[in-house]
Amino acid sequence: MKIWALAATLAFAWLASPASAAGDPAAGKAKAAVCAACHGADGKAIMPSYPNIAGQHAAYLAKQLTEYRDGDRVNALMSGQAANLSDEDIQDLAAYFASMPKHENVSAEENLTLGQDIYRGGITSAGIAACAACHGPAGQGIPNAAWPVISGQNAEYTSDQLKYFRSGERANDPNAMMRGVSERMTDAEIEAVSNYIAGLHSAAE
């Protein structure tokens, strides 16, 4: 199956699921005080190893929170935070952070060209498709589905997640797509594309 056809199939399945119900941003704001300790009051992470979540698609945020709660994605901090969230809490929090203005970021110059080549053209020798095939040329993912916005994300966080997918420590990607990609990438390639993604908003202009 071609990658765009697979993306459309998985996105439709997510939209058809009960977890894709809309939340209440105002209610989410009232529930989000504890989130600010790591993700900032404005959804901008306080450490580069944490994700920026402002402006992220609500469906993706809801998926991750649900999977932290249910044990399908494991992180010592987030699993504990999500353990007692109801479905309604999750939808409200997701709607709140999705409603925030997205933060931008800056790429370093060191390995920017390699990162751009991988993002836009993949790695032909390893049979890896371009990141843009699923995440879009500007890193905006697929709205209202489980395909995240990645542009402007902290490079350290993106690099960590790719390495977790590669090792199997993170395994909540549909059809193991991210595991299949990352297991064929070197540390240098992961770091380069993560750096490019951090500043992708400016690179795409």
Side-chain angles (χ1 to χ4, degrees):
M1 181 182 292
K2 291 184 178 180
I3 195 164
W4 276 111
L6 177 59
T9 299
L10 292 171
F12 178 80
W14 175 254
L15 287 168
S17 71
S20 63
D24 179 354
K29 181 177 181 179
K31 300 172 182 179
V34 68
C35 307
C38 293
H39 297 290
D42 59 354
K44 181 176 176 62
I46 65 167
M47 294 177 60
S49 58
Y50 297 160
N52 297 325
I53 57 176
Q56 181 58 265
H57 300 317
Y60 179 78
L61 292 172
K63 178 180 186 293
Q64 302 311 307
L65 285 172
T66 299
E67 291 176 351
Y68 278 129
R69 182 192 65 187
D70 297 346
D72 296 316
R73 182 177 178 184
V74 179
N75 172 275
L77 181 58
M78 283 304 304
S79 296
Q81 292 293 333
N84 295 316
L85 294 177
S86 67
D87 287 347
E88 182 178 2
D89 292 336
I90 286 172
Q91 295 301 329
D92 290 344
L93 288 167
Y96 172 58
F97 285 107
S99 72
M100 289 181 166
K102 180 180 171 295
H103 294 282
E104 305 298 358
N105 217 323
V106 178
S107 297
E109 291 294 331
E110 181 179 357
N111 53 14
L112 189 57
T113 299
L114 174 60
Q116 176 177 287
D117 290 346
I118 294 170
Y119 190 88
R120 295 184 177 181
I123 306 174
T124 303
S125 61
I128 295 175
C131 307
C134 288
H135 293 287
Q140 296 303 302
I142 300 178
N144 302 318
W147 300 88
V149 175
I150 59 173
S151 68
Q153 189 53 268
N154 292 323
E156 183 175 335
Y157 175 78
T158 301
S159 176
D160 285 347
Q161 297 311 304
L162 287 170
K163 290 173 183 176
Y164 293 152
F165 279 127
R166 185 176 65 184
S167 70
E169 182 175 345
R170 181 173 174 184
N172 68 329
D173 49 325
N175 281 27
M177 289 180 69
M178 289 306 304
R179 281 170 283 172
V181 168
S182 58
E183 69 184 7
R184 289 172 281 167
M185 296 180 72
T186 66
D187 283 354
E189 290 164 344
I190 284 175
E191 288 160 11
V193 78
S194 298
N195 176 49
Y196 177 74
I197 286 167
L200 183 54
H201 63 282
S202 58
E205 290 175 355

